[in-house]
Amino acid sequence: MAEWLNMARVYNMKTYKNLYPQIYNLSNLILAYRRARKGKTKKGYIQEFEKDTIKNLFSLHEGLKNETYFPRPLQTFILRDPKTRKISKSDFRDRVVHHAIVNILEPLFDKTFIFDSCANRKGKGNLVALKRFDEFKKKVSRNGKVNGWINDNQIKGYCLKADIKHYFQEVNCKILLNILKRKISDERTVNLIIKILENGGRTSSEFAELKGMPLGNLTSQFFANVYLNELDYFVKHKLRAKYYIRYVDDFVILHQSKRQLKIWKQQINEFLNKELKLELHKDKSRIIPLSRGIDFVGFRNYWHYNLLRKRNIRKICLTIESYKNNKISREKISKIFQGWFAYAKWADTFNLKNIILKDLEK
């Protein structure tokens, strides 16, 4: 791999041994169990597990300690909200193991992630990404001023809005494991990760050919950041792109020069192909003038204001219709609406919120 990337990876000089006993430690498993059940205490599978919580946790502890633990087959279903996605649901005991792994590994890797990797991290999220985008667009466009005046239609600057094609289905498990091994020298921890990956990846006769991570696993969210941290370092250290934000497999780069963004787009696609066996989505990876507004983290971002994306509005409207038709409870719609309201307040949606609230009150 290129010399610049090795220099950028000074953090990988330190490797960690003896992580496995920390994963199966009973205190860690109890914490993992509490996190796995949070917000889901009324679910049947939680209540089943809690008929004998102590016995089930000790069983997991012994299975992990003796390396006899194997995850159970995933339950797969199709979710349309509005994109069609294949979601894989792990058994609750396996979710406890996922949390146990992430509890130990995340602190080791998170400090190596760039500041503007915003998904699935403590203290980050889509609203942090939105605020950073607002900061960056002001810097790139020089506060939107043209000849000393603010003119929405003449705001300078461009955005490379990019999406990685079929990201979770195309992650190369061998490359991911090699990345993880730079910090993890504990063979038993690596073997446990292989079991998790083999349970969710596409069927293959050899691990070297295994692709994909199941949408829905906590470990998949964590590994997604580990895998694309390679891209983050390439963009920040090789390309030296100053205004770059990534949220899972979506990312933006802002710059005053459209030509520069075209060059970077090609270089990024070459890097993804060569190093990570991925590619940019041709239809969803475009260079757009900032004056036109940019779709990012659920909002349409203009200079003076932000709007909710239409699909987010459709989703809450469909949820309200389900409530009207008695398909979901009053308690559930109240919880959903509170979450949506807190999210929608970051956009200019005063009139929209009032309309939806009145509809809901009826």
Side-chain angles (χ1 to χ4, degrees):
M1 193 166 282
E3 183 180 350
W4 64 269
L5 197 51
N6 290 327
M7 292 174 64
R9 289 183 183 133
V10 174
Y11 66 84
N12 281 316
M13 294 297 288
K14 185 174 182 180
T15 58
Y16 293 86
K17 300 179 180 179
N18 301 318
L19 294 174
Y20 196 67
Q22 297 178 50
I23 291 172
Y24 69 71
N25 181 280
L26 265 175
S27 295
N28 185 45
L29 288 176
I30 291 168
L31 176 61
Y33 151 71
R34 288 174 177 166
R35 288 178 172 175
R37 77 189 286 274
K38 188 175 180 181
K40 305 181 183 72
T41 53
K42 294 183 180 180
K43 297 288 186 181
Y45 56 81
I46 301 284
Q47 294 172 357
E48 184 65 30
F49 188 89
E50 291 179 343
K51 285 180 180 178
D52 200 336
T53 306
I54 294 174
K55 178 184 175 182
N56 287 325
L57 288 176
F58 265 101
S59 176
L60 268 182
H61 169 75
E62 289 299 315
L64 289 167
K65 182 178 179 180
N66 299 326
E67 298 183 73
T68 57
Y69 163 81
F70 281 91
R72 291 170 182 167
L74 299 168
Q75 292 182 1
T76 302
F77 58 95
I78 303 299
L79 183 66
R80 295 178 176 88
D81 68 336
K83 288 196 300 185
T84 300
R85 293 181 295 165
K86 182 180 176 183
I87 305 295
S88 298
K89 185 178 178 181
S90 296
D91 190 87
F92 181 70
R93 70 188 273 278
D94 297 326
R95 285 185 239 174
V96 173
V97 174
H98 297 166
H99 277 272
I101 293 170
V102 173
N103 285 349
I104 302 304
L105 298 189
E106 188 175 42
L108 310 181
F109 283 88
D110 189 78
K111 57 190 174 184
T112 72
F113 296 159
I114 67 167
F115 183 85
D116 290 311
S117 167
C118 293
N120 306 314
R121 296 177 65 195
K122 292 175 184 176
K124 300 292 183 178
N126 57 351
L127 297 181
V128 171
L130 182 67
K131 288 178 182 178
R132 290 293 280 174
F133 185 90
D134 284 341
E135 290 174 25
F136 289 172
K137 76 183 180 187
K138 290 173 183 177
K139 290 178 180 179
V140 168
S141 65
R142 296 173 184 172
N143 287 323
K145 292 181 180 179
V146 180
N147 298 323
W149 298 89
I150 295 178
N151 186 325
D152 284 353
N153 295 323
Q154 297 181 29
I155 289 172
K156 291 187 176 180
Y158 297 87
C159 175
L160 168 58
K161 168 70 173 70
D163 178 279
I164 296 172
K165 186 177 180 181
H166 301 153
Y167 175 51
F168 280 89
Q169 297 100 301
E170 293 298 326
V171 167
N172 184 293
C173 292
K174 182 181 178 182
I175 294 174
L176 171 62
L177 202 65
N178 287 337
I179 294 169
L180 290 165
K181 282 180 177 179
R182 295 196 208 118
K183 289 195 80 67
I184 302 170
S185 54
D186 185 335
E187 186 177 342
R188 290 191 295 171
T189 299
V190 171
N191 289 338
L192 177 59
I193 291 170
I194 290 173
K195 289 178 184 179
I196 300 294
L197 292 174
E198 285 182 330
N199 192 45
R202 296 188 207 164
T203 305
S204 174
S205 57
E206 294 185 22
F207 185 81
E209 300 171 6
L210 195 67
K211 280 185 181 181
M213 299 186 298
L215 271 172
N217 278 5
L218 178 68
T219 47
S220 297
Q221 297 172 20
F222 169 62
F223 293 149
N225 273 340
V226 172
Y227 201 73
L228 285 184
N229 194 40
E230 306 296 297
L231 171 65
D232 297 342
Y233 269 73
F234 174 76
V235 173
K236 296 296 287 184
H237 292 276
K238 172 62 176 177
L239 304 184
R240 298 188 180 277
K242 200 171 181 180
Y243 304 119
Y244 165 79
I245 311 166
R246 181 175 62 79
Y247 192 88
V248 194
D249 57 338
D250 290 340
F251 65 88
V252 291
I253 307 177
L254 283 66
H255 200 275
Q256 290 180 341
S257 168
K258 185 176 182 179
R259 181 176 176 274
Q260 181 62 73
L261 289 175
K262 283 183 178 178
I263 295 170
W264 283 347
K265 181 183 177 184
Q266 183 179 346
Q267 291 175 316
I268 288 169
N269 209 26
E270 289 172 357
F271 172 83
L272 288 171
N273 271 277
K274 182 179 178 183
E275 303 295 343
L276 300 178
K277 308 303 180 189
L278 299 170
E279 63 177 311
L280 293 178
H281 198 297
K282 291 180 181 179
D283 298 329
K284 296 181 181 179
S285 301
R286 298 177 296 135
I287 298 168
I288 308 164
L290 289 175
S291 59
R292 282 177 47 189
I294 311 298
D295 280 337
F296 187 52
V297 292
F299 297 88
R300 182 83 172 174
N301 301 278
Y302 293 90
W303 173 254
H304 285 110
Y305 58 92
N306 298 323
L307 298 177
L308 281 176
R309 295 181 69 177
K310 290 180 180 179
R311 73 182 188 190
N312 289 340
I313 299 170
R314 284 198 298 269
K315 187 176 178 181
I316 190 65
C317 289
L318 288 171
T319 303
I320 291 171
E321 283 301 313
S322 296
Y323 169 65
K324 288 179 178 179
N325 295 324
N326 298 317
K327 293 181 179 178
I328 58 176
S329 67
R330 184 181 182 85
E331 181 185 4
K332 187 172 182 180
I333 190 66
S334 177
K335 187 175 180 181
I336 290 171
F337 186 73
Q338 286 175 21
W340 181 85
F341 199 87
Y343 177 73
K345 74 178 183 180
W346 292 93
D348 294 83
T349 53
F350 180 79
N351 291 333
L352 173 66
K353 286 186 288 187
N354 283 340
I355 291 169
I356 289 177
L357 188 58
K358 286 177 182 178
D359 188 34
L360 190 60
E361 287 173 346
K362 289 178 184 179

